[in-house]
Amino acid sequence: QVQLVESGGGLVQPGGSLRLSCAASGSFFSINDMGWYRQAPGKERDLVASITAGGNTSYADSVKGRFTISRDNIKNTMSLQMNSLKSEDTAVYYCHAYIRTSILTRIERWGRGTLVTVSS
């Protein structure tokens, strides 16, 4: 069973930093696009940042210049470095990936989420 597991959430003061990590486990061929989404209370789940297998990145306008997404294709991990955090960054953050289990088969996986709370 292919799984994604997030870690690194917690409580941080405004202006602070936090680093989220996501690790893929199980049996698979390769990982294609990966991304971080977040969902604040009462709101929809939105894309925060994404990264291709080749390392091309994109960011939501609200986090550009503050967040940095990266991945390690050898360790099958992805990270999100979050700096200059604001109260509006408070949300549950989810790891997402498209994973090839064979040459012909691609599946979609979500992590269970990790809570980030930005508050003084």
Side-chain angles (χ1 to χ4, degrees), residues 1 4 6 22 38 40-42 44 73 75 103:
Q1 182 76 358
L4 299 176
E6 303 100 334
C22 172
R38 67 185 181 188
E44 295 185 350
N73 292 334
K75 296 181 179 179
I103 295 293

Side-chain angles (χ1 to χ4, degrees), residues 4 12 14 31 36 39 44 57 60 66 70 72 75 85 89 91-92 94-96 99-101 103 105-108 120:
L4 299 176
V12 62
I31 303 177
W36 288 97
Q39 186 168 20
E44 295 185 350
T57 61
R66 299 189 298 123
S70 61
D72 185 324
K75 296 181 179 179
L85 283 161
D89 294 318
V92 177
Y94 296 90
C95 172
H96 174 269
I99 299 172
R100 287 210 171 273
T101 55
I103 295 293
T105 304
R106 190 180 78 163
I107 62 174
E108 185 178 15
S120 55

Side-chain angles (χ1 to χ4, degrees), residues 33 47 49 70 86 93 98-99 104 120:
D33 293 356
L47 178 64
S70 61
K86 306 175 182 179
Y93 284 71
Y98 289 104
I99 299 172
L104 298 177
S120 55

Side-chain angles (χ1 to χ4, degrees), residues 17-106:
S17 298
L18 211 55
R19 186 177 182 87
L20 305 182
S21 295
C22 172
S25 63
S27 179
F28 51 86
F29 184 72
S30 63
I31 303 177
N32 296 154
D33 293 356
M34 301 184 78
W36 288 97
Y37 288 72
R38 67 185 181 188
Q39 186 168 20
K43 295 188 177 182
E44 295 185 350
R45 189 175 299 188
D46 294 323
L47 178 64
V48 175
S50 65
I51 185 166
T52 67
N56 293 319
T57 61
S58 64
Y59 297 91
D61 288 342
S62 60
V63 306
K64 280 182 182 177
R66 299 189 298 123
F67 291 10
T68 302
I69 189 172
S70 61
R71 64 189 284 174
D72 185 324
N73 292 334
I74 302 299
K75 296 181 179 179
N76 295 316
T77 60
M78 175 179 64
S79 296
L80 185 68
Q81 177 66 42
M82 304 185 293
N83 298 328
S84 303
L85 283 161
K86 306 175 182 179
S87 58
E88 50 262 44
D89 294 318
T90 295
V92 177
Y93 284 71
Y94 296 90
C95 172
H96 174 269
Y98 289 104
I99 299 172
R100 287 210 171 273
T101 55
S102 72
I103 295 293
L104 298 177
T105 304
R106 190 180 78 163

